[in-house]
């Protein structure tokens, strides 16, 4: 009798599995495994199964995605790529060059992506003119976060130029407060670096230096003053910053041990998770400079798959990812803003609203720019070479003259 | 039939491992060498393009740092571990009580994973949490011990942690060596009234030459493949001041999608290993012939 039940259960399982075969399939490789991120992915997963799809989750832990990329490489080499993979920036085109990305232009055209996505960001989602990836969010990188009560106690306004920032920092330092909370990891050094490039050089200079890698711009006097400012900033960081994680630096601002942090808007998630309110406990402002918006866009690249059910799954996934309802719930959970410009922002906080408004304005003014430090502007080898120079300069007593020379050499060497 | 079997069983049994090693070690060394001659990026490509990757490697200041670090770290780690291990072994060899317990205590760090050693030392050396904060708390506000965050000194913190982990193991090797020296010779020396330190320097230590060689080989390969300790202790920082060839290779292959560059650095690392192992193998083989 026992065997009979077991047998019945088995065949039932086999039947459901067989029935599911005809439904849209999607295997999704991502590295969103931490609290808020996992919740955000669960939203997509639910929407997918509500539409009758079968979702195979393939999470690979490890924040930077290095482990996920190794897993992806193995899958692609064995000729069995996942349906969709969390990829971003020029890495999408690099994978396209390996000849493994699919064309999802049908969905994109049917859903009118070209009309609702900012043109600069849409460009990242295209391979040789056709759509091959779907964007999920926009993180702004050039934010300064500040502890409001420290600023008020010392009579400091949010700085709008780097000179004002330095003046405020000197004042704070004299008062015995660490002016700048920072974690000494190469990518964090580079995050500050690119906001300084944008702030001192302006949008055109940023484009020339960190996107087009123009040798004249890299060795210019402007770049030297960028490194001078980096040296000044180094003096505002506490002695113990080496290797500190970014969220610990955020905690320093939260607890009143430090006044400012320069970090993308994922830092806001830390403040909100600790029950702090924007404008009340902490202040957000774009990093010093006239204008400019450095974006870091997460997206899913679609890989070539075999079988009708998998292709259907891929199309459905693409449709859902860019769909307004997913964009809203996902970005509320993740702390970023929707990549669509037509999503209502009523439920979002003030920092997010400012971010969305700036994205629109900077998009029109031509100062919506890809973040170099977060792999949106350059191939891995090139941005890596720049990161090496920036972090070597920040962590030593190298002169600005040596730094620009090293920068130009490193970029030439990475080609 | 049984004759044939007994003659061929060893070969049949060894064959699978032989071919596995041939493919997965030597085959992949050859494959890496091939990739190091191409312009491979995210995925391996197979069109040979000369020595471009080696050019890039040797003109990269980060590689210079990593390669120099390997020699500084390796030399200090090997020499200090051996000296310390030998001293511990000699002291333990003086027929003291609770020798077993002491031996275990000294040997135990070897049982820890390098990641654990690195993380623990990261806390101990952190100026805000560890030794510096503690001594300052005792009332010496000017005490400074911030090697971990000083780009010029950070490498020596790795040496420190590595020695802490490995010297107990070296001690165990040497202790075994000391015990294997013929007791009659030592007794004879003592009867002749030769002081103990002379017995060690003139008789015991010279007779332990093979143990020195084994210890050196083990420590040298530990130094060259060092990776987890650096990742846990400094993450290669501050900047890239504590990069080693292994961490450089990892960064190129897995973070930057630059497989060609990673392969060329791997080949250079292998060259260093060969430079150490080949003379060793040569001396071993010659010893057999004599």
């Amino acid at each position: 009798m026992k065997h009979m039940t077991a047998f019945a259960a088995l065949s039932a399982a086999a039947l459901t599995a067989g029935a599911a075969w005809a439904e849209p399939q999607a295997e999704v490789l991502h590295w969103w495994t931490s609290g808020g991120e996992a919740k955000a992915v669960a939203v997509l997963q639910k929407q997918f199964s509500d539409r009758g799809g079968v979702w195979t989750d393939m999470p690979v832990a490890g924040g930077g995605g290095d482990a996920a990329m190794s897993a992806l490489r193995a899958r692609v080499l064995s000729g069995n790529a996942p349906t969709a993979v969390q990829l971003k920036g020029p890495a999408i085109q690099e994978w396209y060059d390996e000849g493994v990305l699919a064309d999802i232009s049908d969905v994109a055209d049917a859903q009118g992506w070209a009309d609702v996505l900012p043109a600069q960001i849409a460009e990242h989602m295209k391979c040789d003119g056709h759509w091959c990836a779907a964007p999920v969010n926009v993180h702004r990188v050039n934010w300064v976060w500040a502890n409001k009560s420290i600023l008020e106690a010392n009579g400091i306004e949010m700085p709008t130029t780097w000179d004002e920032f330095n003046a405020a920092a000197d004042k704070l330092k004299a008062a015995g407060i660490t002016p700048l909370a920072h974690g000494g990891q190469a990518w964090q050094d580079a995050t500050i670096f690119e906001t300084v490039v944008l702030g001192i050089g302006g949008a055109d200079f940023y484009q020339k230096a960190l996107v087009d890698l123009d040798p004249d711009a890299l060795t210019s006097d402007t770049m030297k003053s960028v490194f001078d400012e980096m040296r000044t900033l180094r003096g505002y960081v506490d002695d113990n910053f080496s290797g500190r994680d970014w969220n610990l630096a955020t905690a320093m601002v939260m607890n009143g041990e430090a006044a400012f942090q320069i970090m993308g808007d994922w830092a806001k998630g830390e403040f909100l998770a600790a029950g702090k309110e924007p404008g009340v406990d902490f202040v957000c402002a774009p990093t010093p400079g006239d204008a400019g918006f450095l974006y870091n866009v997460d997206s899913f690249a679609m890989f070539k798959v075999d079988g009708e059910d998998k292709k259907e799954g891929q199309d459905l996934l693409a449709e859902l990812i860019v769909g307004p309802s997913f964009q809203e719930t996902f970005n509320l959970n993740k702390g970023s803003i929707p990549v669509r410009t037509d999503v209502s922002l009523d439920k979002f906080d003030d920092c997010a609203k400012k971010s969305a408004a700036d994205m629109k304005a900077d998009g029109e003014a031509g100062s919506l720019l890809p973040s170099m430090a977060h792999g949106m502007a350059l191939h891995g080898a090139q941005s890596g070479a720049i990161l090496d120079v920036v972090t070597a300069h920040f962590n030593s007593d190298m002169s600005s003259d040596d730094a620009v020379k090293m920068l130009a050499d490193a970029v030439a060497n990475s080609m | 039939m049984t004759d044939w079997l007994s003659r061929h069983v060893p070969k049949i049994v060894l064959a699978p491992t032989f071919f596995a090693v041939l493919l997965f070690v030597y085959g992949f060394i050859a494959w890496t060498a091939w990739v190091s001659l191409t312009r491979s990026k995210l995925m391996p490509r197979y069109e040979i393009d000369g020595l471009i990757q080696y050019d890039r490697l040797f003109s990269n200041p980060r590689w210079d740092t990593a390669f120099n670090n390997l020699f500084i770290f390796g030399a200090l780690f090997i020499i200090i571990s051996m000296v310390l291990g030998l001293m511990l072994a000699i002291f333990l060899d003086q027929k003291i009580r609770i020798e077993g317990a002491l031996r275990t205590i000294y040997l135990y760090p070897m049982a820890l994973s390098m990641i654990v050693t690195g993380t623990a030392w990261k806390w101990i050396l952190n100026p805000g949490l560890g030794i510096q904060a503690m001594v300052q708390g005792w009332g010496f506000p000017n005490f400074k011990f911030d090697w971990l965050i000083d780009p010029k000194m950070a490498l020596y913190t790795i040496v420190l942690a590595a020695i802490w982990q490995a010297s107990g193991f070296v001690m165990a090797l040497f202790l075994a060596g000391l015990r294997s020296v013929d007791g009659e010779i030592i007794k004879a020396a003592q009867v002749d009234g030769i002081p103990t330190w002379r017995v060690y320097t003139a008789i015991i230590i010279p007779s332990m030459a093979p143990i020195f060689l084994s210890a050196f080989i083990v420590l040298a390969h530990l130094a060259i493949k060092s990776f987890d300790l650096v990742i846990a202790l400094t993450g290669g920082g501050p900047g890239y001041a504590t990069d080693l060839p292994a961490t450089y290779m990892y960064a190129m292959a897995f973070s930057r999608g630059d497989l060609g560059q990673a392969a060329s650095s791997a080949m250079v690392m292998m060259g260093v290993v060969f430079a150490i192992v080949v003379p060793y193998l040569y001396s071993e083989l010659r010893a057999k012939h004599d």
Side-chain angles (χ1 to χ4, degrees), chain A residues 175-343:
Chain A
I177 300 162
T178 304
L180 183 62
H182 178 58
Q185 293 170 330
W187 70 268
Q188 295 192 52
D189 298 338
T191 301
I192 296 190
F193 173 75
E194 65 177 13
T195 66
V196 178
V197 171
L198 178 68
I200 289 181
D204 288 341
F205 179 75
Y206 182 97
Q207 172 79 27
K208 263 197 219 127
L210 297 186
V211 184
D212 304 337
L213 298 178
D214 172 26
D216 293 338
L218 289 174
T219 51
S220 63
D221 288 343
T222 316
M223 192 54 91
K224 276 179 200 159
S225 43
V226 168
F227 279 109
D228 289 343
E229 176 63 25
M230 288 300 283
R231 177 65 65 235
T232 311
L233 290 173
R234 170 67 181 79
Y236 298 143
V237 174
D238 65 313
D239 284 340
N240 207 11
F241 73 104
S242 252
R244 179 189 284 145
D245 284 322
W246 67 270
N247 52 342
L248 298 180
T250 310
M252 288 172 67
V253 176
M254 225 184 288
N255 303 334
E257 291 164 42
F260 297 107
Q261 184 188 16
I262 294 167
M263 184 48 62
D265 51 16
W266 44 94
K268 187 179 67 187
E270 293 286 305
F271 283 108
L272 297 180
K276 309 279 184 192
E277 264 183 68
V280 180
D281 303 299
F282 66 97
V283 199
C284 56
T287 48
D290 294 336
F293 185 108
L294 300 182
Y295 60 80
N296 176 13
V297 176
D298 287 313
S299 48
F300 279 97
M302 303 299 173
F303 279 68
K304 278 184 186 154
V305 284
D306 291 325
E308 233 4 81
D309 50 347
K310 286 187 180 169
K311 283 201 183 97
E312 248 175 68
Q314 192 164 57
D315 288 350
L316 177 57
L317 196 65
E319 183 192 327
L320 288 172
I321 286 174
V322 185
S325 83
F326 170 73
Q327 287 278 328
E328 186 187 73
T329 24
F330 178 88
N331 286 301
L332 280 171
N333 280 326
K334 182 112 198 300
S336 39
I337 58 169
V339 60
R340 287 177 79 106
T341 46
D342 61 346
V343 176

Side-chain angles (χ1 to χ4, degrees), chain A residues 31-197:
Chain A
W31 58 87
W32 282 329
T33 46
S34 76
E37 297 172 343
K39 227 161 88 187
V41 172
V43 174
L44 185 60
Q45 216 166 333
K46 183 167 182 309
Q47 288 190 354
F48 193 73
S49 48
D50 285 350
R51 293 274 296 268
V54 178
W55 173 291
T56 313
D57 208 27
M58 191 183 167
V60 180
D66 289 356
M69 285 306 103
S70 302
L72 176 61
R73 203 174 279 136
R75 290 286 299 264
V76 171
L77 277 173
S78 68
N80 176 27
T83 316
V85 179
Q86 187 188 345
L87 280 183
K88 64 182 186 181
I92 299 172
Q93 281 77 32
E94 272 187 273
W95 279 104
Y96 176 75
D97 290 341
E98 305 289 346
V100 290
L101 289 197
D103 184 349
I104 52 166
S105 297
D106 292 349
V107 193
D109 294 340
Q111 303 289 320
W113 288 5
D115 304 326
V116 292
L117 303 180
Q120 290 90 334
I121 291 173
E123 245 357 90
H124 288 284
M125 306 301 143
K126 290 183 183 165
C127 299
D128 249 353
H130 66 76
W131 296 84
C132 54
V136 289
N137 63 3
V138 180
H139 280 296
R140 183 181 201 170
V141 177
N142 57 327
W143 275 121
V144 186
W145 309 93
N147 182 308
K148 193 168 183 203
S149 53
I150 292 184
L151 294 196
E152 276 169 3
N154 293 281
I156 290 171
E157 295 282 317
M158 259 330 235
T160 54
T161 65
W162 282 105
D163 287 338
E164 280 179 39
F165 185 91
N166 296 345
D170 285 333
K171 203 168 169 187
L172 287 162
K173 209 174 170 185
I177 300 162
T178 304
L180 183 62
H182 178 58
Q185 293 170 330
W187 70 268
Q188 295 192 52
D189 298 338
T191 301
I192 296 190
F193 173 75
E194 65 177 13
T195 66
V196 178
V197 171

Side-chain angles (χ1 to χ4, degrees), chain A residues 66 69-70 73 76-77 91 94-95 98 239-240 242 380-381 384-385 387-388 391-392 395-397 406 413-415, chain B residues 41-45 56 59-62 126-128 144 149 151-152 238-240 250 253-259:
Chain A
D66 289 356
M69 285 306 103
S70 302
R73 203 174 279 136
V76 171
L77 277 173
E94 272 187 273
W95 279 104
E98 305 289 346
D239 284 340
N240 207 11
S242 252
L387 253 68
D388 283 347
T391 192
N395 285 290
S396 67
D397 46 14
M406 205 173 152
N413 189 32
S414 72
M415 296 292 187
Chain B
K41 291 213 175 292
L42 275 179
M43 305 272 278
R45 289 177 199 173
R56 287 181 59 201
S59 56
N60 188 339
R62 180 168 171 179
N126 184 313
K144 242 180 140 60
I149 59 166
K152 291 198 183 71
Y240 51 72
Y250 181 86
F254 299 108
S255 312
R256 299 202 176 161
D258 205 345
L259 280 184

